[in-house]
């Protein structure tokens, strides 16, 4: 029995070794399967978070991973979703503000383009930043011909140089608003410009604004209106004594009628008629003059 057992000992060792090897392999396989399942369970939120991060980096804020756990990873995903939502709202706000700014800029450009007054914007060094079409038309230059040029260096013409020097001097003399009327010889001849300048208020970019109008026609109209009033009053003052003169001549003729000799009566009648005719002619002329005035 002992010899039989001794002979079978080698086979038992082999059987036990094979059994242990199979058990070890099964254990390793189960360990790998369990590790894979655990890694998938733990790594899925991280992969989702990574995809969301790449999407945010590309500007897509719609990727918000769903949260199912309450552990540290769940808190991280919640924070990421909150950050993404805030970024999305901030981008929408920026886009809205940019659109409103563009609309306001376009509206302001349309308003300035349709103004009859010239508007010139200067920086803090009194260099021309921009001006509207009316300003270019009044000064007789192209709309962008004076961009980035200092007021004291406008050398396109003597009139423009004198204009820039006068404006720069007024801005140097006055800290606030100022207004002045100057003469300008442009392409359209002698012009009278009414200038109004002011410094930009605090809180915006430093600089100045110059608004000017061509008041030549307005001054001519005021002058014509003044002369018209003078002419009307003058015609009225001339017309006032004409009626008494005519009445006095006719009264003299009636008073002396039948008291003079024929020659004297005829002379008086001719003189009286001459006075009456000339007074009537002067009345017609004064009426026409007053109507013209």
């Amino acid at each position: 029995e002992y010899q039989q057992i001794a002979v079978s000992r080698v086979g038992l060792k082999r059987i036990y070794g094979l059994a242990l090897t199979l058990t070890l392999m099964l254990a390793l396989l189960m360990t790998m399967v369990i590790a894979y399942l655990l890694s998938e369970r733990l790594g899925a939120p991280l992969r989702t978070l990574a995809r969301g991060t790449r999407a945010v980096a590309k500007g897509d804020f719609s990727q918000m991973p769903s949260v199912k756990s309450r552990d540290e990873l769940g808190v991280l995903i919640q924070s990421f979703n909150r950050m993404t939502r805030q970024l999305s709202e901030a981008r929408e706000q920026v886009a809205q503000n940019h659109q409103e700014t563009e609309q306001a800029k376009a509206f302001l450009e349309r308003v300035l383009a349709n103004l009859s007054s010239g508007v010139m914007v200067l920086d803090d060094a009194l260099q021309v930043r921009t001006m509207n079409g009316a300003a270019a038309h009044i000064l007789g230059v192209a709309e962008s011909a004076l961009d980035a040029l200092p007021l004291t260096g406008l050398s396109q013409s003597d009139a423009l140089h004198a204009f820039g020097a006068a404006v720069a001097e007024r801005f140097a003399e006055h800290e606030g608003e100022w207004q002045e009327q100057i003469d300008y010889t442009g392409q359209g001849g002698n012009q009278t410009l009414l200038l109004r300048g002011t410094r930009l208020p605090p809180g915006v970019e430093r600089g100045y604004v110059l608004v000017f109008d061509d008041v030549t026609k307005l001054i001519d109209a005021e002058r014509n209106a003044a002369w018209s009033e003078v002419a009307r009053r003058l015609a009225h003052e001339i017309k006032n004594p004409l009626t008494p003169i005519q009445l006095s001549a006719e009264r003299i003729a009636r008073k002396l009628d039948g008291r003079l000799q024929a020659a004297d009566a005829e002379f008086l009648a001719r003189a009286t008629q001459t006075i009456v005719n000339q007074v009537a002619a002067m009345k017609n002329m004064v009426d026409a003059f007053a109507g013209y005035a």
Side-chain angles (χ1 to χ4, degrees), residues 9 16 22-23 34 108 163 174 177 205 212 238 276:
R9 183 176 61 179
Y16 288 153
L22 292 175
T23 304
I34 294 173
L108 182 60
F163 169 82
H174 300 84
E177 297 183 1
E205 189 173 353
F212 52 95
I238 294 175
V276 172

Side-chain angles (χ1 to χ4, degrees), residues 32-186:
M32 294 178 61
V33 170
I34 294 173
Y36 176 78
L37 294 177
L38 289 177
S39 65
E40 283 293 323
R41 182 177 179 181
L42 295 176
L46 293 177
R47 287 193 296 271
T48 304
L49 187 61
R51 286 195 299 269
T53 304
R54 288 193 295 269
V56 170
K58 294 179 180 178
D60 182 11
F61 299 106
S62 62
Q63 300 291 335
M64 293 188 181
S66 59
V67 182
K68 296 181 181 180
S69 61
R70 298 180 178 271
D71 54 4
E72 291 81 359
L73 190 58
V75 174
L76 177 61
I77 295 177
Q78 290 178 356
S79 301
F80 177 80
N81 291 339
R82 185 165 55 252
M83 179 197 68
T84 304
R85 191 178 302 108
Q86 292 175 354
L87 288 175
S88 178
E89 293 175 355
R91 186 175 69 172
E92 292 177 358
Q93 186 65 32
V94 169
Q96 183 179 358
N97 293 339
H98 179 71
Q99 184 179 3
E100 292 177 355
T101 302
E102 290 297 326
Q103 291 177 353
K105 182 180 179 181
F107 174 76
L108 182 60
E109 289 178 352
R110 287 195 298 269
V111 170
L112 291 178
N114 290 278
L115 280 179
S116 60
S117 301
V119 179
M120 182 181 293
V121 181
L122 310 169
D123 61 11
D124 194 47
L126 293 180
Q127 290 184 345
V128 180
R129 293 183 56 187
T130 183
M131 64 180 180
N132 63 346
H137 177 72
I138 294 174
L139 297 179
V141 296
E143 190 167 346
S144 59
L146 306 182
D147 289 352
L149 293 179
L151 281 180
T152 55
L154 302 181
S155 57
Q156 284 81 352
S157 64
D158 294 339
L160 200 58
H161 179 74
F163 169 82
V167 173
E169 183 179 356
R170 298 303 176 272
F171 275 123
E173 293 175 354
H174 300 84
E175 289 294 331
E177 297 183 1
W178 58 270
Q179 177 173 321
E180 187 169 336
Q181 183 174 304
I182 65 171
D183 294 328
Y184 180 78
T185 305

